[in-house]
Amino acid sequence: MGKIKDIVIHDENEQKKQQKQPESKYEQALSLYSTDVDEAEVKAAVEKLVTEKLPENNNPETLKFLLGSVELTSLHTTDTEESILSMVEKVNKFDSDYPDLPHVAAVCAYPVFTELISQSLEVDGVEITNVCGNFPSSQSRMEVKIAETQLAVADGATNVDIVMPVGKFLSGDYEGVSDDINELKQVCGEEVPMKVILEVCDLGSLSNVKKAALLSMYAGADYIKTSTGKEKSGATPESVYVMCQAIKEYYDKTGIQIGLKPAGGINTVKDALTYYTILKEVCGEKWLTNYWFRLGTSRLTNTLISEIVGKEVKYF
């Protein structure tokens, strides 16, 4: 009798395995899009855009726009109150030293410095960006991520950058990924835009980049960002191209506009022009404002200033 019972239980378990689990709302959302990305096609499309369209964007006005899109960033283990304050003071003086140039879009630092930046930043229109949610790994309890984000907003952060839980994504836990993002967006509220860092170099394929981008947008991201700058590589033209495709397709289906922030490894003016050109050609003119387009780079700031004024400048 025991053997018969064992066989019945085994059969029931097999039936349960074969029964298809209902799709989550996020899996249903993904099904509305083509996420099977042909990497060779993307590479060819990027090369064509850069060859044919980038040269026309290499002009003083675009370079000024790029300067005004920079999020001046310091995310070092060695950061001190003095070093962060020095960075902020340079931002405060920039308008008087270079009245014909735009100021940077934001100052980005760890949350421990938020209150200091909030109290010392004197320039209207410069955002205070904090990296939150256990940056750069996103590997901590949700309660910790929420508390850190709450404190950053309370201290004066006007933008928040979080990292998508990449481990959950690679495990196929799309609902868990999306729930994490959504919880932190609720902490930020409508008044504080939240960027979701995909960490594209860890995702394994451009198809995964597109899936991660779409999940992040459906979960509440106001921007999608390529990289933390702390992993093996940062933004690539191909990943940005696919992210722009996702942004445009999401906008066409929902009417909701999402911003873009390439970050990590942006070292040359050509790098910045490449990302600008991709955004312009894939998403359109509507995205070409310093609100919807940000560049996560500090090293490029002096290079852009130097290129615009025609001589070497080491201001920041």
Side-chain angles (χ1 to χ4, degrees):
M1 189 69 181
K3 289 183 179 179
I4 295 174
K5 184 178 180 182
D6 288 342
I7 292 170
V8 170
I9 292 172
H10 176 74
D11 287 345
E12 287 176 351
N13 288 336
E14 285 301 312
Q15 288 174 7
K16 286 178 181 177
K17 287 180 183 178
Q18 292 173 11
Q19 288 174 351
K20 188 177 181 181
Q21 296 297 316
E23 288 186 333
S24 72
K25 61 182 178 180
Y26 298 112
E27 289 171 324
Q28 291 173 10
L30 280 182
S31 71
L32 301 174
Y33 300 84
S34 172
T35 56
D36 186 12
V37 177
D38 186 316
E39 305 213 357
E41 283 186 7
V42 169
K43 184 175 178 59
V46 168
E47 288 177 354
K48 181 178 172 65
L49 279 183
V50 171
T51 300
E52 295 181 0
K53 300 294 184 179
L54 186 148
E56 68 190 46
N57 295 322
N58 190 4
N59 58 69
E61 288 310 307
T62 302
L63 296 182
K64 288 180 182 180
F65 171 81
L66 293 172
L67 176 62
S69 299
V70 166
E71 296 207 357
L72 194 65
T73 303
S74 190
L75 297 171
H76 305 296
T77 304
T78 54
D79 285 343
T80 62
E81 289 191 353
E82 290 76 18
S83 66
I84 297 298
L85 187 59
S86 175
M87 179 174 68
V88 174
E89 287 175 344
K90 288 175 184 176
V91 174
N92 288 341
K93 290 173 52 185
F94 189 77
D95 275 349
S96 58
D97 290 341
Y98 291 92
D100 296 329
L101 298 184
H103 53 64
V104 295
V107 174
C108 180
Y110 283 113
V112 69
F113 300 112
T114 310
E115 189 173 16
L116 173 67
I117 297 171
S118 181
Q119 291 173 349
S120 56
L121 185 63
E122 299 171 358
V123 184
D124 291 338
V126 175
E127 304 289 350
I128 301 172
T129 298
N130 274 180
V131 290
C132 294
N134 195 232
F135 176 95
S137 69
S138 192
Q139 298 283 20
S140 69
R141 291 172 60 118
M142 199 63 205
E143 295 90 341
V144 175
K145 297 180 186 181
I146 289 170
E148 185 178 49
T149 306
Q150 286 174 330
L151 289 168
V153 172
D155 282 347
T158 58
N159 279 198
V160 163
D161 290 14
I162 68 162
V163 184
M164 181 190 77
V166 176
K168 285 185 180 180
F169 177 87
L170 294 175
S171 297
D173 184 9
Y174 295 164
E175 188 164 9
V177 169
S178 304
D179 287 347
D180 280 13
I181 293 170
N182 187 257
E183 281 196 61
L184 292 176
K185 178 54 189 171
Q186 290 181 46
V187 174
C188 294
E190 294 301 316
E191 298 302 314
V192 178
M194 186 181 79
K195 307 184 195 83
V196 177
I197 303 168
L198 308 184
E199 203 65 283
V200 294
C201 68
D202 289 334
L203 295 182
S205 70
L206 292 179
S207 292
N208 278 346
V209 169
K210 188 166 186 182
K211 289 176 186 176
L214 289 166
L215 286 171
S216 298
M217 291 187 285
Y218 271 99
D222 298 294
Y223 294 74
I224 49 175
K225 177 179 170 182
T226 59
S227 319
T228 61
K230 303 297 184 181
E231 283 289 296
K232 53 185 176 285
S233 62
T236 66
E238 291 77 17
S239 61
V240 169
Y241 183 89
V242 170
M243 289 165 68
C244 285
Q245 285 184 317
I247 287 171
K248 185 61 166 62
E249 290 172 23
Y250 179 79
Y251 176 76
D252 289 342
K253 285 192 185 298
T254 67
I256 300 170
Q257 188 169 2
I258 302 295
L260 173 74
K261 183 179 175 182
I266 305 174
N267 300 318
T268 67
V269 171
K270 184 179 179 181
D271 290 338
L273 285 170
T274 295
Y275 299 131
Y276 172 91
T277 300
I278 291 170
L279 180 71
K280 179 181 178 182
E281 296 301 321
V282 178
C283 291
E285 300 278 346
K286 189 171 184 176
W287 272 263
L288 300 184
T289 75
N290 300 128
Y291 181 86
W292 295 111
F293 181 61
R294 298 285 178 81
L295 288 168
T297 177
S298 285
R299 69 190 72 182
L300 188 62
T301 315
N302 287 332
T303 305
L304 283 167
I305 298 169
S306 300
E307 189 78 13
I308 294 165
V309 303
K311 62 180 182 180
E312 186 177 10
V313 174
K314 295 182 179 179
Y315 190 90
F316 290 106

